[in-house]
Amino acid sequence: MHERGYIKKTAATAASIAFLLLGWELLAVMLASPALPRPLPAFITFVREIPAGLWRHFLISSYRVVLSILLSLALALPCGMVLGREERFDRLAAPLVYLVYPVPKIVFLPVLMVLLGIGDISKIALITLVIFFQILVPIRDAARGINAGVINSVKSLGAGRWDIYKHVVWPAVLPEMLTALRVASGTAIAVLFFSETIVSQEGLGYYLLDAWSRYAYREMFAGIIAMGLLGFIIYMALDYLERRLCPWKFV
Amino acid sequence: MINLAGNKLMVNVENLSVSYRQQRKEVPALRGVSFAIPRGGTCALIGPSGCGKSTLLYVLSGLLGSFSGRVLVDDEPVQPLRRQTALILQDYGLLPWKKVFDNVGLGLDIRGINGRERTARVQRVLLEVGLWEMRDRYPSQLSGGQRQRVAIARALALEPDLLLMDEPFSSLDALTREKLQKQLLDIWQKKRMTVVLVTHSIEEAIFLGQIIIVLSEHPGRVVDIVENPRVGEPGYRKTPEFHALTTVLREKLIP
Ligand SMILES: Nc1ncnc2c1ncn2[C@@H]1O[C@H](COP(=O)(O)OP(=O)(O)OP(=O)(O)O)[C@@H](O)[C@H]1O
Ligand SMILES: [Mg+2]
């Protein structure tokens, strides 16, 4: 039963990748412009570029994105659970959250660079700042939406505050957390790209922009493929995590 | 507090009133409710929707602490987290992320009972309700009746002397409901814990409640307390007395 679901899913993934490549091919043939190379040459360049230095940019970008995701999760998860369950705190924090949430936080990059330097830390701080809210808000809402009956019946078993968090709130927000992480990982890569195009010497954003400035479109697309791959790997990792962490969703 | 027959009261409620605060207004839910249940007895609470039955159960469980009047459980003022009280709510008892076994063991986890003692107790109560084979399933993989039995098992695992149930069988089909009512009766006859059961069903109240408390429309007041000592006698459901009592209760509920 599980096995079959897995095969189905893999087939669906393969089909959607094939569909994407087909669309790309068609568009490239129609445009017939060097600005949009066809998929095969782009992939050949990608494979050639990996040993030539692309691997380093890929690793650096991966490191920045993954660390940012982990950091913002480590901050947003406890905050979200507490704000969702403890009304006193939420009353204090809610105005702040709603004021800061819509502000395009990338405008803080210059400030962060002044404060934290132009290296990894300012980039990680920027990504974390952006996706923290994207993770916090859904987790808070999920924690808040837990049925009072569930809480009461666990309380009636003698549960204290800590037991409620451990047995009810944490597992209840897990699925929302993973969904939020999927959305946030996309945002994280977009913000990463932006941050790496500004005073930067490494990372996929830099690699891409550098290729672009040299009109090396095939290399540029090799960089795009690498970014897509990064997103895909994160997505697969989250899928795997969901299977491990939320087995009750798959029965 | 022990009377001459040695019949201690398990629950003693005197002049209980509860109101909820809603948009700065006090909305009364229960008004001047008094009754008593002897230790080891069963009691059914019946009344129209919204009359405060669940509220009353919450007060008895200690979860709702703001009330006026006197509520004694086992001769002590009711307190939250009394260890021998178990509460079963209608639909929300089970945690979807825990397997049957761990749902039943949850109360034990919380009370710090683990290891072999936990396993043994969970096994015993699951066998008791006939669900040992289902121990590795998640609640979503069970039928409504099986889920309700898991909830009962979880309460029994705590070895309670006071079992509070809020419409435990109301979402089940008639056949399953009768089976579970019988099973609950069997369990009660074996263990003789005090049972308080909220129900919408007149039949269920008569089948299970040695004391039947009829509450009025919102805010709930005691309309009548009906004694029903034949609970548990074999074949009671088929006797003329049973049917006579149905009529009596129906008239009290729908005057
Ligand atoms: N948290 C709450 N805040 C405000 N009012 C409430 C709250 N809970 C219940 N009430 C009100 O108190 C009254 C009694 O509610 P309760 O849930 O005890 O009724 P009930 O007899 O259990 O009803 P039902 O048979 O429909 O379950 C109702 O009028 C309800 O609207
Ligand atoms: Mg109710």
Side-chain angles (χ1 to χ4, degrees):
Chain A
M1 197 55 208
H2 271 179
E3 205 56 18
R4 180 170 311 162
Y6 190 72
I7 290 169
K8 251 190 195 159
K9 192 155 184 191
T10 312
T13 309
S16 72
I17 291 174
F19 188 74
L20 182 72
L21 291 179
L22 190 70
W24 179 358
E25 175 78 34
L26 285 178
L27 199 64
V29 170
M30 275 185 341
L31 282 182
S33 150
L36 183 60
R38 290 168 59 181
L40 192 61
F43 271 95
I44 290 171
T45 314
F46 172 70
V47 172
R48 274 200 204 123
E49 279 289 296
I50 289 174
L54 184 54
W55 66 273
R56 206 170 55 83
H57 296 295
F58 182 81
L59 282 187
I60 286 168
S61 287
S62 306
Y63 159 75
R64 288 168 178 165
V65 164
V66 171
L67 197 63
S68 310
I69 291 176
L70 292 178
L71 199 60
S72 43
L73 181 63
L75 294 170
L77 182 60
C79 290
M81 292 198 294
V82 169
L83 292 184
R85 291 316 308 171
E86 321 285 335
E87 222 176 303
R88 307 164 277 151
F89 293 133
D90 193 49
R91 260 202 300 274
L92 291 175
L96 193 71
V97 170
Y98 287 119
L99 276 176
V100 184
Y101 192 22
V103 171
K105 263 115 3 217
I106 50 176
V107 300
F108 296 128
L109 185 57
V111 185
L112 290 173
M113 282 173 153
V114 170
L115 285 174
L116 304 170
I118 58 168
D120 285 339
I121 300 177
S122 60
K123 295 175 177 57
I124 289 169
L126 180 70
I127 301 171
T128 304
L129 193 60
V130 175
I131 63 175
F132 170 78
F133 290 96
Q134 285 191 349
I135 302 172
L136 175 81
V137 173
I139 288 180
R140 184 199 61 182
D141 293 349
R144 188 187 285 162
I146 297 171
N147 191 292
V150 176
I151 302 276
N152 277 329
S153 64
V154 178
K155 265 191 193 161
S156 79
L157 297 172
R161 192 171 290 244
W162 170 248
D163 296 308
I164 297 284
Y165 276 102
K166 180 175 156 198
H167 294 290
V168 185
V169 182
W170 153 247
V173 304
L174 262 178
E176 296 302 324
M177 178 192 93
L178 289 163
T179 306
L181 280 178
R182 286 198 183 92
V183 176
S185 64
T187 313
I189 292 174
V191 175
L192 169 87
F193 174 79
F194 170 79
S195 73
E196 285 179 344
T197 55
I198 292 171
V199 240
S200 185
Q201 295 300 318
E202 38 186 23
L204 290 175
Y206 162 77
Y207 175 90
L208 242 154
L209 203 70
D210 177 60
W212 190 354
S213 67
R214 291 184 285 111
Y215 302 104
Y217 289 118
R218 281 191 192 171
E219 284 174 31
M220 192 175 105
F221 270 82
I224 291 174
I225 290 170
M227 269 197 164
L229 190 66
L230 175 56
F232 188 70
I233 290 171
I234 294 175
Y235 198 87
M236 294 298 278
L238 290 174
D239 239 37
Y240 172 77
L241 267 184
E242 184 162 33
R243 266 159 208 290
R244 290 302 302 269
L245 292 176
C246 313
W248 69 93
K249 300 234 114 182
F250 298 92
V251 292
Chain B
M1 267 287 171
I2 301 174
N3 67 22
L4 288 177
N7 253 345
K8 263 175 75 180
L9 291 182
M10 189 65 201
V11 173
N12 191 2
V13 175
E14 281 171 27
N15 202 20
L16 167 71
S17 295
V18 182
S19 34
Y20 287 104
R21 186 175 288 278
Q22 226 170 17
Q23 279 117 39
R24 287 155 199 262
K25 264 199 307 194
E26 296 265 322
V27 184
L30 288 170
R31 214 173 255 172
V33 171
S34 303
F35 63 91
I37 309 167
R39 176 179 274 282
T42 66
C43 165
L45 288 167
I46 193 165
S49 181
C51 73
K53 303 181 294 294
S54 300
T55 304
L56 182 49
L57 221 54
Y58 272 36
V59 169
L60 293 181
S61 75
L63 283 175
L64 185 64
S66 53
F67 56 82
S68 70
R70 215 157 71 109
V71 178
L72 300 182
V73 172
D74 201 15
D75 294 337
E76 307 261 337
V78 69
Q79 50 185 352
L81 314 185
R82 181 178 177 271
R83 282 186 150 240
Q84 303 83 358
T85 301
L87 172 68
I88 299 176
L89 298 178
Q90 186 182 341
D91 287 321
Y92 310 113
L94 304 180
L95 299 180
W97 39 82
K98 286 189 192 285
K99 291 181 175 170
V100 165
F101 191 96
D102 294 320
N103 260 298
V104 173
L106 180 60
L108 303 176
D109 296 339
I110 288 169
R111 280 154 210 234
I113 298 168
N114 36 37
R116 209 174 299 161
E117 163 84 3
R118 174 180 185 266
T119 313
R121 275 215 220 174
V122 173
Q123 174 169 15
R124 202 187 60 230
V125 293
L126 275 178
L127 286 171
E128 219 160 358
V129 299
L131 286 178
W132 175 243
E133 277 70 40
M134 307 281 177
R135 62 188 175 276
D136 281 327
R137 296 208 187 177
Y138 288 102
S140 64
Q141 297 169 293
L142 300 179
S143 73
Q146 291 169 334
R147 266 180 240 174
Q148 212 44 263
R149 274 146 77 198
V150 176
I152 292 171
R154 184 173 71 185
L156 293 179
L158 302 176
E159 298 176 348
D161 59 11
L162 176 60
L163 181 60
L164 308 170
M165 311 173 95
D166 195 353
E167 303 188 33
F169 310 131
S170 67
S171 58
L172 307 175
D173 63 278
L175 218 63
T176 315
R177 193 185 314 153
E178 274 195 27
K179 244 189 235 162
L180 288 200
Q181 288 167 353
K182 184 78 183 56
Q183 192 169 33
L184 178 65
L185 204 58
D186 289 344
I187 291 170
W188 170 71
Q189 283 178 323
K190 227 170 20 188
K191 310 199 180 233
R192 291 288 165 174
M193 70 285 215
T194 312
V195 175
V196 183
L197 169 115
V198 168
T199 178
H200 270 132
S201 150
I202 293 173
E203 288 243 313
E204 185 167 288
I206 301 171
F207 187 65
L208 292 173
Q210 293 176 313
I211 299 169
I212 302 167
I213 299 173
V214 183
L215 294 174
S216 69
E217 286 276 349
H218 167 96
R221 260 177 290 233
V222 176
V223 173
D224 202 356
I225 298 181
V226 179
E227 307 250 348
N228 179 28
R230 292 187 61 184
V231 163
E233 280 181 23
Y236 182 35
R237 213 192 277 272
K238 295 192 196 87
T239 61
E241 287 81 359
F242 189 96
H243 291 286
L245 204 48
T246 334
T247 318
V248 171
L249 274 188
R250 187 160 287 125
E251 268 160 18
K252 287 187 197 300
L253 279 165
I254 316 157

